[in-house]
PDB file of all heavy atoms in Angstrom:
ATOM      1  N   PRO A   1      49.896-159.775  14.543  1.00  0.00           N
ATOM      2  CA  PRO A   1      49.995-161.256  14.409  1.00  0.00           C
ATOM      3  C   PRO A   1      49.129-162.084  15.328  1.00  0.00           C
ATOM      4  O   PRO A   1      48.702-163.127  15.078  1.00  0.00           O
ATOM      5  CB  PRO A   1      51.466-161.443  14.527  1.00  0.00           C
ATOM      6  CG  PRO A   1      52.143-160.133  14.188  1.00  0.00           C
ATOM      7  CD  PRO A   1      51.079-159.110  14.715  1.00  0.00           C
ATOM      8  N   ALA A   2      49.150-161.579  16.597  1.00  0.00           N
ATOM      9  CA  ALA A   2      48.337-162.283  17.686  1.00  0.00           C
ATOM     10  C   ALA A   2      46.879-162.132  17.343  1.00  0.00           C
ATOM     11  O   ALA A   2      46.179-163.161  17.522  1.00  0.00           O
ATOM     12  CB  ALA A   2      48.751-161.658  18.988  1.00  0.00           C
ATOM     13  N   ILE A   3      46.464-160.951  16.952  1.00  0.00           N
ATOM     14  CA  ILE A   3      44.983-160.895  16.511  1.00  0.00           C
ATOM     15  C   ILE A   3      44.613-161.757  15.439  1.00  0.00           C
ATOM     16  O   ILE A   3      43.561-162.470  15.441  1.00  0.00           O
ATOM     17  CB  ILE A   3      44.594-159.486  16.155  1.00  0.00           C
ATOM     18  CG1 ILE A   3      44.792-158.569  17.513  1.00  0.00           C
ATOM     19  CG2 ILE A   3      43.244-159.340  15.694  1.00  0.00           C
ATOM     20  CD1 ILE A   3      44.776-157.069  17.224  1.00  0.00           C
ATOM     21  N   LYS A   4      45.458-161.907  14.439  1.00  0.00           N
ATOM     22  CA  LYS A   4      45.305-162.893  13.335  1.00  0.00           C
ATOM     23  C   LYS A   4      45.194-164.273  13.733  1.00  0.00           C
ATOM     24  O   LYS A   4      44.428-165.094  13.269  1.00  0.00           O
ATOM     25  CB  LYS A   4      46.268-162.715  12.235  1.00  0.00           C
ATOM     26  CG  LYS A   4      46.176-161.376  11.409  1.00  0.00           C
ATOM     27  CD  LYS A   4      47.136-161.338  10.308  1.00  0.00           C
ATOM     28  CE  LYS A   4      47.032-160.059   9.487  1.00  0.00           C
ATOM     29  NZ  LYS A   4      48.028-159.838   8.313  1.00  0.00           N
ATOM     30  N   GLN A   5      45.969-164.706  14.792  1.00  0.00           N
ATOM     31  CA  GLN A   5      45.891-165.983  15.242  1.00  0.00           C
ATOM     32  C   GLN A   5      44.702-166.268  16.023  1.00  0.00           C
ATOM     33  O   GLN A   5      44.050-167.361  15.931  1.00  0.00           O
ATOM     34  CB  GLN A   5      47.178-166.284  16.124  1.00  0.00           C
ATOM     35  CG  GLN A   5      48.451-166.426  15.388  1.00  0.00           C
ATOM     36  CD  GLN A   5      48.569-167.655  14.605  1.00  0.00           C
ATOM     37  OE1 GLN A   5      48.023-168.661  14.968  1.00  0.00           O
ATOM     38  NE2 GLN A   5      49.182-167.536  13.520  1.00  0.00           N
ATOM     39  N   ILE A   6      44.208-165.262  16.779  1.00  0.00           N
ATOM     40  CA  ILE A   6      43.021-165.387  17.535  1.00  0.00           C
ATOM     41  C   ILE A   6      41.788-165.491  16.521  1.00  0.00           C
ATOM     42  O   ILE A   6      40.967-166.359  16.625  1.00  0.00           O
ATOM     43  CB  ILE A   6      42.728-164.184  18.269  1.00  0.00           C
ATOM     44  CG1 ILE A   6      43.741-164.207  19.567  1.00  0.00           C
ATOM     45  CG2 ILE A   6      41.309-164.117  18.952  1.00  0.00           C
ATOM     46  CD1 ILE A   6      43.813-162.849  20.291  1.00  0.00           C
ATOM     47  N   LYS A   7      41.821-164.716  15.413  1.00  0.00           N
ATOM     48  CA  LYS A   7      40.753-164.772  14.480  1.00  0.00           C
ATOM     49  C   LYS A   7      40.745-166.170  13.741  1.00  0.00           C
ATOM     50  O   LYS A   7      39.628-166.689  13.427  1.00  0.00           O
ATOM     51  CB  LYS A   7      40.965-163.724  13.388  1.00  0.00           C
ATOM     52  CG  LYS A   7      39.891-163.523  12.319  1.00  0.00           C
ATOM     53  CD  LYS A   7      38.618-163.033  13.037  1.00  0.00           C
ATOM     54  CE  LYS A   7      37.593-162.771  11.985  1.00  0.00           C
ATOM     55  NZ  LYS A   7      36.329-162.425  12.639  1.00  0.00           N
ATOM     56  N   ASN A   8      41.886-166.786  13.444  1.00  0.00           N
ATOM     57  CA  ASN A   8      42.070-168.067  12.825  1.00  0.00           C
ATOM     58  C   ASN A   8      41.476-169.163  13.830  1.00  0.00           C
ATOM     59  O   ASN A   8      40.813-170.081  13.391  1.00  0.00           O
ATOM     60  CB  ASN A   8      43.423-168.373  12.457  1.00  0.00           C
ATOM     61  CG  ASN A   8      43.792-167.579  11.228  1.00  0.00           C
ATOM     62  OD1 ASN A   8      42.901-167.241  10.393  1.00  0.00           O
ATOM     63  ND2 ASN A   8      45.084-167.333  11.059  1.00  0.00           N
ATOM     64  N   ALA A   9      41.711-168.973  15.108  1.00  0.00           N
ATOM     65  CA  ALA A   9      41.369-170.026  16.111  1.00  0.00           C
ATOM     66  C   ALA A   9      39.829-169.915  16.336  1.00  0.00           C
ATOM     67  O   ALA A   9      39.198-170.918  16.585  1.00  0.00           O
ATOM     68  CB  ALA A   9      42.124-169.839  17.391  1.00  0.00           C
ATOM     69  N   PHE A  10      39.355-168.822  16.282  1.00  0.00           N
ATOM     70  CA  PHE A  10      37.826-168.493  16.633  1.00  0.00           C
ATOM     71  C   PHE A  10      37.274-167.788  15.429  1.00  0.00           C
ATOM     72  O   PHE A  10      36.828-166.611  15.569  1.00  0.00           O
ATOM     73  CB  PHE A  10      37.627-167.703  17.927  1.00  0.00           C
ATOM     74  CG  PHE A  10      38.321-168.331  19.103  1.00  0.00           C
ATOM     75  CD1 PHE A  10      39.525-168.048  19.548  1.00  0.00           C
ATOM     76  CD2 PHE A  10      37.632-169.436  19.801  1.00  0.00           C
ATOM     77  CE1 PHE A  10      40.062-168.634  20.589  1.00  0.00           C
ATOM     78  CE2 PHE A  10      38.214-170.034  20.795  1.00  0.00           C
ATOM     79  CZ  PHE A  10      39.490-169.594  21.272  1.00  0.00           C
ATOM     80  N   GLN A  11      37.065-168.476  14.382  1.00  0.00           N
ATOM     81  CA  GLN A  11      36.543-167.877  13.054  1.00  0.00           C
ATOM     82  C   GLN A  11      35.127-167.379  13.247  1.00  0.00           C
ATOM     83  O   GLN A  11      34.704-166.464  12.551  1.00  0.00           O
ATOM     84  CB  GLN A  11      36.699-168.792  11.988  1.00  0.00           C
ATOM     85  CG  GLN A  11      38.042-169.140  11.600  1.00  0.00           C
ATOM     86  CD  GLN A  11      38.281-170.167  10.483  1.00  0.00           C
ATOM     87  OE1 GLN A  11      37.197-170.696   9.947  1.00  0.00           O
ATOM     88  NE2 GLN A  11      39.531-170.587  10.295  1.00  0.00           N
ATOM     89  N   ASP A  12      34.328-167.964  14.052  1.00  0.00           N
ATOM     90  CA  ASP A  12      32.896-167.556  14.194  1.00  0.00           C
ATOM     91  C   ASP A  12      32.695-166.481  15.228  1.00  0.00           C
ATOM     92  O   ASP A  12      31.604-165.870  15.332  1.00  0.00           O
ATOM     93  CB  ASP A  12      32.023-168.709  14.656  1.00  0.00           C
ATOM     94  CG  ASP A  12      31.996-169.845  13.586  1.00  0.00           C
ATOM     95  OD1 ASP A  12      32.128-169.470  12.387  1.00  0.00           O
ATOM     96  OD2 ASP A  12      31.671-170.985  13.932  1.00  0.00           O
ATOM     97  N   ALA A  13      33.790-166.021  15.872  1.00  0.00           N
ATOM     98  CA  ALA A  13      33.726-165.195  17.010  1.00  0.00           C
ATOM     99  C   ALA A  13      33.730-163.588  16.327  1.00  0.00           C
ATOM    100  O   ALA A  13      34.512-163.440  15.410  1.00  0.00           O
ATOM    101  CB  ALA A  13      34.813-165.241  18.034  1.00  0.00           C
ATOM    102  N   SER A  14      33.141-162.741  17.029  1.00  0.00           N
ATOM    103  CA  SER A  14      33.433-161.348  16.551  1.00  0.00           C
ATOM    104  C   SER A  14      34.435-160.742  17.577  1.00  0.00           C
ATOM    105  O   SER A  14      34.228-160.905  18.706  1.00  0.00           O
ATOM    106  CB  SER A  14      31.936-160.586  16.681  1.00  0.00           C
ATOM    107  OG  SER A  14      31.552-160.489  18.023  1.00  0.00           O
ATOM    108  N   ILE A  15      35.261-160.013  16.926  1.00  0.00           N
ATOM    109  CA  ILE A  15      36.370-159.416  17.730  1.00  0.00           C
ATOM    110  C   ILE A  15      36.225-157.831  17.750  1.00  0.00           C
ATOM    111  O   ILE A  15      35.998-157.275  16.710  1.00  0.00           O
ATOM    112  CB  ILE A  15      37.781-159.669  17.080  1.00  0.00           C
ATOM    113  CG1 ILE A  15      37.990-161.276  17.129  1.00  0.00           C
ATOM    114  CG2 ILE A  15      38.838-158.917  17.798  1.00  0.00           C
ATOM    115  CD1 ILE A  15      39.221-161.696  16.391  1.00  0.00           C
ATOM    116  N   ASP A  16      35.966-157.405  18.919  1.00  0.00           N
ATOM    117  CA  ASP A  16      35.939-155.874  19.104  1.00  0.00           C
ATOM    118  C   ASP A  16      37.288-155.418  19.737  1.00  0.00           C
ATOM    119  O   ASP A  16      38.009-156.212  20.411  1.00  0.00           O
ATOM    120  CB  ASP A  16      34.801-155.597  20.149  1.00  0.00           C
ATOM    121  CG  ASP A  16      33.389-156.050  19.598  1.00  0.00           C
ATOM    122  OD1 ASP A  16      33.390-156.315  18.420  1.00  0.00           O
ATOM    123  OD2 ASP A  16      32.533-156.070  20.356  1.00  0.00           O
ATOM    124  N   ILE A  17      37.542-154.098  19.657  1.00  0.00           N
ATOM    125  CA  ILE A  17      38.815-153.567  20.054  1.00  0.00           C
ATOM    126  C   ILE A  17      38.614-152.165  20.673  1.00  0.00           C
ATOM    127  O   ILE A  17      37.806-151.506  20.121  1.00  0.00           O
ATOM    128  CB  ILE A  17      39.943-153.644  19.034  1.00  0.00           C
ATOM    129  CG1 ILE A  17      41.295-153.206  19.522  1.00  0.00           C
ATOM    130  CG2 ILE A  17      39.497-152.732  17.891  1.00  0.00           C
ATOM    131  CD1 ILE A  17      42.478-153.434  18.706  1.00  0.00           C
ATOM    132  N   VAL A  18      39.285-151.871  21.701  1.00  0.00           N
ATOM    133  CA  VAL A  18      39.395-150.581  22.278  1.00  0.00           C
ATOM    134  C   VAL A  18      40.648-149.907  21.976  1.00  0.00           C
ATOM    135  O   VAL A  18      41.690-150.611  22.274  1.00  0.00           O
ATOM    136  CB  VAL A  18      39.174-150.747  23.883  1.00  0.00           C
ATOM    137  CG1 VAL A  18      39.186-149.321  24.515  1.00  0.00           C
ATOM    138  CG2 VAL A  18      37.827-151.307  24.205  1.00  0.00           C
ATOM    139  N   VAL A  19      40.779-148.784  21.392  1.00  0.00           N
ATOM    140  CA  VAL A  19      41.958-148.170  20.952  1.00  0.00           C
ATOM    141  C   VAL A  19      42.001-146.699  21.374  1.00  0.00           C
ATOM    142  O   VAL A  19      41.000-146.104  21.777  1.00  0.00           O
ATOM    143  CB  VAL A  19      42.238-148.270  19.482  1.00  0.00           C
ATOM    144  CG1 VAL A  19      42.318-149.704  19.027  1.00  0.00           C
ATOM    145  CG2 VAL A  19      40.989-147.646  18.749  1.00  0.00           C
ATOM    146  N   ALA A  20      43.236-146.184  21.374  1.00  0.00           N
ATOM    147  CA  ALA A  20      43.492-144.789  21.599  1.00  0.00           C
ATOM    148  C   ALA A  20      42.941-143.941  20.409  1.00  0.00           C
ATOM    149  O   ALA A  20      42.876-144.506  19.232  1.00  0.00           O
ATOM    150  CB  ALA A  20      44.809-144.510  21.841  1.00  0.00           C
ATOM    151  N   PRO A  21      42.707-142.667  20.495  1.00  0.00           N
ATOM    152  CA  PRO A  21      42.293-141.794  19.392  1.00  0.00           C
ATOM    153  C   PRO A  21      43.209-141.941  18.206  1.00  0.00           C
ATOM    154  O   PRO A  21      42.721-141.654  17.091  1.00  0.00           O
ATOM    155  CB  PRO A  21      42.335-140.448  19.984  1.00  0.00           C
ATOM    156  CG  PRO A  21      42.016-140.656  21.438  1.00  0.00           C
ATOM    157  CD  PRO A  21      42.736-141.933  21.809  1.00  0.00           C
ATOM    158  N   ASP A  22      44.480-142.019  18.391  1.00  0.00           N
ATOM    159  CA  ASP A  22      45.431-142.063  17.245  1.00  0.00           C
ATOM    160  C   ASP A  22      45.316-143.285  16.391  1.00  0.00           C
ATOM    161  O   ASP A  22      45.905-143.412  15.291  1.00  0.00           O
ATOM    162  CB  ASP A  22      46.884-141.790  17.670  1.00  0.00           C
ATOM    163  CG  ASP A  22      47.496-142.984  18.472  1.00  0.00           C
ATOM    164  OD1 ASP A  22      46.784-143.822  19.009  1.00  0.00           O
ATOM    165  OD2 ASP A  22      48.661-143.083  18.509  1.00  0.00           O
ATOM    166  N   SER A  23      44.532-144.256  16.870  1.00  0.00           N
ATOM    167  CA  SER A  23      44.384-145.533  16.194  1.00  0.00           C
ATOM    168  C   SER A  23      43.013-145.601  15.312  1.00  0.00           C
ATOM    169  O   SER A  23      42.737-146.718  14.755  1.00  0.00           O
ATOM    170  CB  SER A  23      44.497-146.653  17.069  1.00  0.00           C
ATOM    171  OG  SER A  23      45.750-146.834  17.682  1.00  0.00           O
ATOM    172  N   GLU A  24      42.260-144.628  15.267  1.00  0.00           N
ATOM    173  CA  GLU A  24      41.032-144.643  14.600  1.00  0.00           C
ATOM    174  C   GLU A  24      41.167-145.121  13.128  1.00  0.00           C
ATOM    175  O   GLU A  24      40.344-145.883  12.681  1.00  0.00           O
ATOM    176  CB  GLU A  24      40.256-143.323  14.692  1.00  0.00           C
ATOM    177  CG  GLU A  24      38.894-143.349  14.110  1.00  0.00           C
ATOM    178  CD  GLU A  24      38.201-142.145  14.354  1.00  0.00           C
ATOM    179  OE1 GLU A  24      38.663-141.092  14.912  1.00  0.00           O
ATOM    180  OE2 GLU A  24      36.983-142.139  13.961  1.00  0.00           O
ATOM    181  N   GLU A  25      42.131-144.583  12.376  1.00  0.00           N
ATOM    182  CA  GLU A  25      42.276-145.035  11.054  1.00  0.00           C
ATOM    183  C   GLU A  25      42.712-146.425  10.935  1.00  0.00           C
ATOM    184  O   GLU A  25      42.449-147.189   9.918  1.00  0.00           O
ATOM    185  CB  GLU A  25      43.328-144.092  10.271  1.00  0.00           C
ATOM    186  CG  GLU A  25      42.697-142.786  10.140  1.00  0.00           C
ATOM    187  CD  GLU A  25      43.734-141.896   9.332  1.00  0.00           C
ATOM    188  OE1 GLU A  25      44.535-142.378   8.626  1.00  0.00           O
ATOM    189  OE2 GLU A  25      43.691-140.598   9.575  1.00  0.00           O
ATOM    190  N   PHE A  26      43.499-146.932  11.830  1.00  0.00           N
ATOM    191  CA  PHE A  26      43.866-148.426  11.994  1.00  0.00           C
ATOM    192  C   PHE A  26      42.731-149.361  12.016  1.00  0.00           C
ATOM    193  O   PHE A  26      42.683-150.347  11.371  1.00  0.00           O
ATOM    194  CB  PHE A  26      44.821-148.561  13.071  1.00  0.00           C
ATOM    195  CG  PHE A  26      45.189-149.958  13.386  1.00  0.00           C
ATOM    196  CD1 PHE A  26      45.932-150.823  12.601  1.00  0.00           C
ATOM    197  CD2 PHE A  26      44.629-150.603  14.528  1.00  0.00           C
ATOM    198  CE1 PHE A  26      46.232-152.076  12.881  1.00  0.00           C
ATOM    199  CE2 PHE A  26      44.857-151.857  14.910  1.00  0.00           C
ATOM    200  CZ  PHE A  26      45.720-152.661  13.995  1.00  0.00           C
ATOM    201  N   VAL A  27      41.747-148.912  12.774  1.00  0.00           N
ATOM    202  CA  VAL A  27      40.612-149.871  13.011  1.00  0.00           C
ATOM    203  C   VAL A  27      39.459-149.634  12.145  1.00  0.00           C
ATOM    204  O   VAL A  27      38.706-150.614  11.939  1.00  0.00           O
ATOM    205  CB  VAL A  27      40.163-149.959  14.403  1.00  0.00           C
ATOM    206  CG1 VAL A  27      41.179-150.375  15.329  1.00  0.00           C
ATOM    207  CG2 VAL A  27      39.690-148.526  14.923  1.00  0.00           C
ATOM    208  N   PHE A  28      39.355-148.470  11.488  1.00  0.00           N
ATOM    209  CA  PHE A  28      38.193-148.129  10.574  1.00  0.00           C
ATOM    210  C   PHE A  28      38.182-148.998   9.373  1.00  0.00           C
ATOM    211  O   PHE A  28      39.214-149.091   8.719  1.00  0.00           O
ATOM    212  CB  PHE A  28      38.339-146.648  10.282  1.00  0.00           C
ATOM    213  CG  PHE A  28      37.201-146.206   9.409  1.00  0.00           C
ATOM    214  CD1 PHE A  28      35.866-146.046   9.832  1.00  0.00           C
ATOM    215  CD2 PHE A  28      37.275-145.949   8.032  1.00  0.00           C
ATOM    216  CE1 PHE A  28      34.787-145.580   9.144  1.00  0.00           C
ATOM    217  CE2 PHE A  28      36.276-145.484   7.250  1.00  0.00           C
ATOM    218  CZ  PHE A  28      35.052-145.311   7.856  1.00  0.00           C
ATOM    219  N   GLU A  29      37.078-149.741   9.248  1.00  0.00           N
ATOM    220  CA  GLU A  29      36.923-150.664   8.129  1.00  0.00           C
ATOM    221  C   GLU A  29      38.015-151.774   8.086  1.00  0.00           C
ATOM    222  O   GLU A  29      38.260-152.397   6.958  1.00  0.00           O
ATOM    223  CB  GLU A  29      36.799-149.869   6.791  1.00  0.00           C
ATOM    224  CG  GLU A  29      35.603-148.982   6.705  1.00  0.00           C
ATOM    225  CD  GLU A  29      35.505-148.373   5.236  1.00  0.00           C
ATOM    226  OE1 GLU A  29      36.280-148.615   4.435  1.00  0.00           O
ATOM    227  OE2 GLU A  29      34.504-147.651   5.180  1.00  0.00           O
ATOM    228  N   ASN A  30      38.616-152.140   9.290  1.00  0.00           N
ATOM    229  CA  ASN A  30      39.627-153.150   9.301  1.00  0.00           C
ATOM    230  C   ASN A  30      38.757-154.522   9.394  1.00  0.00           C
ATOM    231  O   ASN A  30      37.960-154.637  10.310  1.00  0.00           O
ATOM    232  CB  ASN A  30      40.499-152.995  10.433  1.00  0.00           C
ATOM    233  CG  ASN A  30      41.577-154.022  10.483  1.00  0.00           C
ATOM    234  OD1 ASN A  30      41.443-155.166  10.076  1.00  0.00           O
ATOM    235  ND2 ASN A  30      42.784-153.504  11.006  1.00  0.00           N
ATOM    236  N   PRO A  31      38.938-155.426   8.516  1.00  0.00           N
ATOM    237  CA  PRO A  31      38.104-156.668   8.561  1.00  0.00           C
ATOM    238  C   PRO A  31      38.305-157.584   9.721  1.00  0.00           C
ATOM    239  O   PRO A  31      37.593-158.472   9.936  1.00  0.00           O
ATOM    240  CB  PRO A  31      38.553-157.371   7.241  1.00  0.00           C
ATOM    241  CG  PRO A  31      39.942-156.833   6.910  1.00  0.00           C
ATOM    242  CD  PRO A  31      39.892-155.430   7.384  1.00  0.00           C
ATOM    243  N   LEU A  32      39.336-157.251  10.525  1.00  0.00           N
ATOM    244  CA  LEU A  32      39.666-158.149  11.727  1.00  0.00           C
ATOM    245  C   LEU A  32      38.624-157.879  12.884  1.00  0.00           C
ATOM    246  O   LEU A  32      38.365-158.672  13.618  1.00  0.00           O
ATOM    247  CB  LEU A  32      41.065-157.976  12.235  1.00  0.00           C
ATOM    248  CG  LEU A  32      42.247-158.466  11.361  1.00  0.00           C
ATOM    249  CD1 LEU A  32      43.520-157.964  11.901  1.00  0.00           C
ATOM    250  CD2 LEU A  32      42.116-159.974  11.228  1.00  0.00           C
ATOM    251  N   PHE A  33      38.114-156.764  12.750  1.00  0.00           N
ATOM    252  CA  PHE A  33      37.294-156.294  13.945  1.00  0.00           C
ATOM    253  C   PHE A  33      35.833-156.031  13.457  1.00  0.00           C
ATOM    254  O   PHE A  33      35.423-155.446  12.461  1.00  0.00           O
ATOM    255  CB  PHE A  33      37.811-154.897  14.526  1.00  0.00           C
ATOM    256  CG  PHE A  33      39.338-154.966  14.823  1.00  0.00           C
ATOM    257  CD1 PHE A  33      40.126-154.257  13.964  1.00  0.00           C
ATOM    258  CD2 PHE A  33      39.805-155.903  15.678  1.00  0.00           C
ATOM    259  CE1 PHE A  33      41.565-154.236  14.352  1.00  0.00           C
ATOM    260  CE2 PHE A  33      41.159-155.953  15.975  1.00  0.00           C
ATOM    261  CZ  PHE A  33      42.044-155.198  15.375  1.00  0.00           C
ATOM    262  N   SER A  34      34.929-156.379  14.371  1.00  0.00           N
ATOM    263  CA  SER A  34      33.598-156.202  14.200  1.00  0.00           C
ATOM    264  C   SER A  34      33.132-154.729  14.691  1.00  0.00           C
ATOM    265  O   SER A  34      32.361-154.137  14.052  1.00  0.00           O
ATOM    266  CB  SER A  34      32.700-157.295  15.053  1.00  0.00           C
ATOM    267  OG  SER A  34      32.948-158.517  14.571  1.00  0.00           O
ATOM    268  N   GLU A  35      33.673-154.407  15.770  1.00  0.00           N
ATOM    269  CA  GLU A  35      33.352-153.070  16.316  1.00  0.00           C
ATOM    270  C   GLU A  35      34.674-152.536  16.850  1.00  0.00           C
ATOM    271  O   GLU A  35      35.610-153.251  17.277  1.00  0.00           O
ATOM    272  CB  GLU A  35      32.308-153.201  17.492  1.00  0.00           C
ATOM    273  CG  GLU A  35      31.007-153.751  17.172  1.00  0.00           C
ATOM    274  CD  GLU A  35      30.221-152.697  16.347  1.00  0.00           C
ATOM    275  OE1 GLU A  35      30.303-151.443  16.577  1.00  0.00           O
ATOM    276  OE2 GLU A  35      29.318-153.109  15.451  1.00  0.00           O
ATOM    277  N   TYR A  36      34.743-151.145  16.985  1.00  0.00           N
ATOM    278  CA  TYR A  36      35.802-150.607  17.701  1.00  0.00           C
ATOM    279  C   TYR A  36      35.348-149.390  18.648  1.00  0.00           C
ATOM    280  O   TYR A  36      34.270-148.840  18.272  1.00  0.00           O
ATOM    281  CB  TYR A  36      36.869-150.079  16.660  1.00  0.00           C
ATOM    282  CG  TYR A  36      36.386-148.900  15.799  1.00  0.00           C
ATOM    283  CD1 TYR A  36      36.577-147.676  16.034  1.00  0.00           C
ATOM    284  CD2 TYR A  36      35.844-149.335  14.550  1.00  0.00           C
ATOM    285  CE1 TYR A  36      36.101-146.595  15.217  1.00  0.00           C
ATOM    286  CE2 TYR A  36      35.499-148.339  13.687  1.00  0.00           C
ATOM    287  CZ  TYR A  36      35.666-146.981  13.972  1.00  0.00           C
ATOM    288  OH  TYR A  36      35.150-146.014  13.147  1.00  0.00           O
ATOM    289  N   ILE A  37      35.999-149.241  19.624  1.00  0.00           N
ATOM    290  CA  ILE A  37      35.728-148.192  20.534  1.00  0.00           C
ATOM    291  C   ILE A  37      36.937-147.283  20.831  1.00  0.00           C
ATOM    292  O   ILE A  37      38.007-147.803  21.059  1.00  0.00           O
ATOM    293  CB  ILE A  37      35.347-148.857  22.014  1.00  0.00           C
ATOM    294  CG1 ILE A  37      34.166-149.836  21.842  1.00  0.00           C
ATOM    295  CG2 ILE A  37      35.072-147.787  23.103  1.00  0.00           C
ATOM    296  CD1 ILE A  37      34.074-150.839  22.824  1.00  0.00           C
ATOM    297  N   ILE A  38      36.697-145.993  20.597  1.00  0.00           N
ATOM    298  CA  ILE A  38      37.803-145.040  20.720  1.00  0.00           C
ATOM    299  C   ILE A  38      37.752-144.484  22.125  1.00  0.00           C
ATOM    300  O   ILE A  38      36.788-143.972  22.700  1.00  0.00           O
ATOM    301  CB  ILE A  38      37.598-143.777  19.751  1.00  0.00           C
ATOM    302  CG1 ILE A  38      37.403-144.277  18.316  1.00  0.00           C
ATOM    303  CG2 ILE A  38      38.726-142.866  19.933  1.00  0.00           C
ATOM    304  CD1 ILE A  38      38.591-144.984  17.773  1.00  0.00           C
ATOM    305  N   LEU A  39      38.903-144.739  22.790  1.00  0.00           N
ATOM    306  CA  LEU A  39      39.028-144.375  24.368  1.00  0.00           C
ATOM    307  C   LEU A  39      39.509-142.859  24.359  1.00  0.00           C
ATOM    308  O   LEU A  39      40.546-142.628  23.805  1.00  0.00           O
ATOM    309  CB  LEU A  39      39.949-145.322  25.060  1.00  0.00           C
ATOM    310  CG  LEU A  39      40.102-145.234  26.576  1.00  0.00           C
ATOM    311  CD1 LEU A  39      38.700-145.554  27.215  1.00  0.00           C
ATOM    312  CD2 LEU A  39      41.154-146.043  26.987  1.00  0.00           C
TER     313      LEU A  39
END
């Protein structure tokens, strides 16, 4: 919910996320994120 609010507030911004290995499927091809980094 917070990420969606950020995306709505900054529609032109690209959002990248750093996640744990168990979240790879969560971020893979997720339209909220431009890039993702697996920690």
Side-chain angles (χ1 to χ4, degrees):
I3 293 169
K4 286 182 178 179
Q5 289 294 324
I6 292 169
K7 186 69 172 173
N8 288 335
F10 300 99
Q11 294 177 3
D12 295 334
S14 65
I15 299 177
D16 300 341
I17 188 167
V18 177
V19 295
D22 70 341
S23 297
E24 186 171 1
E25 290 183 25
F26 166 73
V27 294
F28 182 71
E29 294 185 2
N30 189 325
L32 291 173
F33 309 114
S34 300
E35 297 285 332
Y36 64 91
I37 301 158
I38 306 297
L39 188 63

